[in-house]
Amino acid sequence: ASNRTTTKVIVVGGGGTMGSSTALHLIRAGYTPSNITVLDVYPIPSAQSAGHDLNKIMGIRLRNGPDLQLSLEALDMWTNDPLFKPFFHRVGMIDCSSSDDGIANLKRKYQSLLDANIGLEKTNWLLETEEILEKVPAFTKDQIRGWKGLFCGDGGWLAAAKAINAIGHFLKEQGVNFGFGKSGTFKQPLFAADGSTVNGIETVDGTKYYADKVVVAAGAWSPTLIDLEDQCVSKAWVFAHIQLTAEEVAKYKNIPVVYDGEYGFFFEPNEHGVIKVCDEFPGFSRFKQHQPCGATSPKTISVPRSHAKHPTDTYPDASEETIRKAIARFLPQFKDKPLFNRSMCWCTDTADANLLICEHPKWKNLILATGDSGHSFKLLPNIGKHVVELIENALPSDLADAWGWRPGGDALRSRRGAPAKDLADMPGWRHDAKI
Ligand code: FSA
């Protein structure tokens, strides 16, 4: 443990979810703050991070082996850790459906919670229609006829950007080094004399940063920076906001997050009376010819285009329809309200929806922490702990096996209902600023 005080670490994408968590856990593990350098295109909380958002869902979803352990660790930290506690709104989460397939799915999900055999039935249970109405009195009986639910009492929502911001404050207080803008934007790894041991990175302004370990936690940008051999396909999901009056807010305060896999989801209004609504769909790719570091020629890669950099971009016309459909289902009385802050949010899917947290197979000391697969914000409090374990060659083998370098498989489809459609075929989202 003594080399914790001397080991230098660079975190690329340190203003986002996995990167900020990594920097935090380095400090908690005893690394010297002045030996840690957090780089990002935007200051923490990075405006182009998927975590830079009003809210994200907290819930227990068991898709893959590590999910149970990770969700429980996260739940404990969101509940008890003083840094994270203020940002967890434990209002519960209702997974609901009115279709036969959807209801069968809820039952399967419930069974997988029971099968975990750790008492999850105490906080998770199936809901009949009337019980959904009790949890969300603003719904009407007519509206939810035929709906069934799966209630997750451990769930709710996370004030996402605010939580990353709190990590940012802590990192600043501790004296971590930061580089943002051009001096935070990754250009390429730097190598020792052997040509394969990474000892730093160069940013686009030509600054060279040196370190013993480089963590690349660049979220949806990761596959554009480093050749990940098609293990990750970055995709955009969409949301829009609606504004409620004070009177309307009162009816929706403290309600659970409501999610329906065939429509989307929404959250209770925030302190300004704003409700975020999302549709649910397999995401949008944006394939282009692009050459990441490590590739010998340009490849076809889905390259994110951020709202932070292109604030006039919105989302495809097709999304307006599906968001409106979600509003008509969940919030029919607001169906004529104007939408605003229409936006896309970029995540990166792996084929099996497990994370990609491993050392690069050819480049020693370059550690990847990516592959969120759209479900990782809730791991903000704890994921960095495991990245630090990896840095120290102490990642438990079940996690190392699940998160290892694993080319092959179909990350374009991942474990979703269909492969992503490409933004090139989806008109309506691109609004270049008129100068
Ligand atoms: O409970 C959850 O893990 C919801 S993740 C929210 C979401 O918008 C997905 O619905 C979407 O499909 C994508 O994975 C991004 O995240």
Side-chain angles (χ1 to χ4, degrees):
S2 71
N3 62 1
R4 287 183 175 170
T5 57
T6 56
T7 302
K8 291 190 173 177
V9 185
I10 293 167
V11 186
V12 176
T17 307
M18 294 211 232
S20 65
S21 182
T22 300
L24 169 69
H25 281 279
L26 285 167
I27 292 176
R28 288 191 174 180
Y31 285 72
T32 307
S34 59
N35 285 339
I36 302 170
T37 301
V38 164
L39 303 177
D40 207 303
V41 178
Y42 293 95
I44 182 168
S46 174
Q48 66 179 15
S49 160
H52 192 276
D53 199 353
L54 273 189
N55 42 38
K56 294 286 192 210
I57 298 178
M58 174 63 197
I60 298 188
R61 303 246 198 220
L62 307 180
R63 293 182 179 82
N64 287 309
D67 289 351
L68 180 64
Q69 179 198 338
L70 289 174
S71 310
L72 296 177
E73 285 173 4
L75 176 63
D76 177 58
M77 290 183 75
W78 285 114
T79 309
N80 299 312
D81 191 299
L83 180 62
F84 293 104
K85 228 173 135 152
F87 309 107
F88 181 22
H89 298 256
R90 196 180 189 139
V91 288
M93 208 271 271
I94 310 180
D95 215 332
C96 53
S97 181
S98 61
S99 73
D100 292 345
D101 283 356
I103 292 169
N105 232 325
L106 296 180
K107 291 186 179 150
R108 255 197 305 278
K109 286 183 189 169
Y110 181 58
Q111 189 58 47
S112 72
L113 295 172
L114 296 183
D115 292 345
N117 211 5
I118 54 159
L120 287 173
E121 64 280 2
K122 290 188 206 111
T123 45
N124 298 265
W125 56 83
L126 292 167
L127 298 177
E128 291 301 326
T129 313
E130 314 77 66
E131 296 167 307
I132 297 176
L133 202 52
E134 275 164 35
K135 301 254 180 244
V136 189
F139 284 161
T140 65
K141 250 187 157 155
D142 276 348
Q143 179 189 353
I144 64 165
R145 185 150 293 134
W147 292 25
K148 304 268 188 234
L150 171 56
F151 181 67
C152 175
D154 300 311
W157 60 273
L158 309 162
K162 287 180 183 174
I164 298 181
N165 189 43
I167 298 181
H169 277 294
F170 174 79
L171 298 177
K172 280 174 208 156
E173 220 172 73
Q174 292 287 313
V176 163
N177 308 299
F178 291 100
F180 298 125
K182 289 197 162 66
S183 53
T185 305
F186 177 96
K187 184 173 172 212
Q188 58 187 7
L190 298 171
F191 293 96
D194 67 1
S196 64
T197 302
V198 171
N199 64 3
I201 75 141
E202 183 178 344
T203 48
V204 294
D205 67 344
T207 310
K208 291 178 175 163
Y209 298 89
Y210 292 93
D212 303 296
K213 302 278 176 180
V214 173
V215 177
V216 176
W221 277 263
S222 309
T224 72
L225 305 183
I226 298 198
D227 184 9
L228 299 181
E229 298 179 8
D230 303 321
Q231 289 174 99
C232 291
V233 174
S234 298
K235 301 167 193 176
W237 279 271
V238 309
F239 65 81
H241 292 164
I242 55 178
Q243 179 68 57
L244 271 55
T245 65
E247 216 173 291
E248 290 164 345
V249 165
K251 290 196 184 139
Y252 286 91
K253 261 212 114 11
N254 295 320
I255 58 156
V257 179
V258 176
Y259 175 94
D260 182 328
E262 286 159 60
Y263 290 86
F265 51 99
F266 77 102
F267 299 79
E268 68 164 313
N270 75 350
E271 67 272 33
H272 306 295
V274 172
I275 287 188
K276 182 178 93 171
V277 182
C278 298
D279 57 354
E280 185 60 296
F281 72 108
F284 297 129
S285 58
R286 183 168 168 269
F287 281 106
K288 289 163 62 106
Q289 286 302 106
H290 177 87
Q291 188 170 349
C293 296
T296 49
S297 59
K299 314 178 46 164
T300 310
I301 284 180
S302 178
V303 178
R305 169 164 152 135
S306 76
H307 199 257
K309 209 167 199 168
H310 302 276
T312 48
D313 282 2
T314 55
Y315 53 44
D317 296 333
S319 302
E320 182 81 354
E321 271 182 50
T322 44
I323 294 252
R324 287 276 178 207
K325 216 169 133 191
I327 294 173
R329 177 147 179 106
F330 298 132
L331 305 155
Q333 67 281 38
F334 300 147
K335 71 180 188 347
D336 298 321
K337 276 200 188 270
L339 302 181
F340 61 101
N341 288 345
R342 294 174 176 87
S343 183
M344 294 191 273
C345 163
W346 289 85
C347 300
T348 197
D349 274 357
T350 60
D352 60 7
N354 258 318
L355 294 162
L356 182 67
I357 299 185
C358 61
E359 189 172 31
H360 189 282
K362 294 198 201 100
W363 297 345
K364 191 168 159 27
N365 295 334
L366 186 131
I367 281 151
L368 297 158
T370 185
D372 59 271
S373 300
H375 303 290
S376 303
F377 184 80
K378 63 169 179 260
L379 307 180
L380 176 73
N382 58 317
I383 195 65
K385 195 180 80 178
H386 300 298
V387 179
V388 174
E389 288 170 346
L390 178 66
I391 288 175
E392 300 183 344
N393 292 319
L395 185 64
S397 62
D398 55 330
L399 299 181
D401 290 347
W403 298 345
W405 185 266
R406 49 186 194 284
D410 183 0
L412 180 61
R413 166 130 193 188
S414 185
R415 291 173 57 186
R416 302 179 183 277
K421 291 184 182 167
D422 199 84
L423 281 175
D425 307 319
M426 308 296 299
W429 59 271
R430 189 178 181 130
H431 304 283
D432 287 309
K434 293 179 186 69
I435 329 164

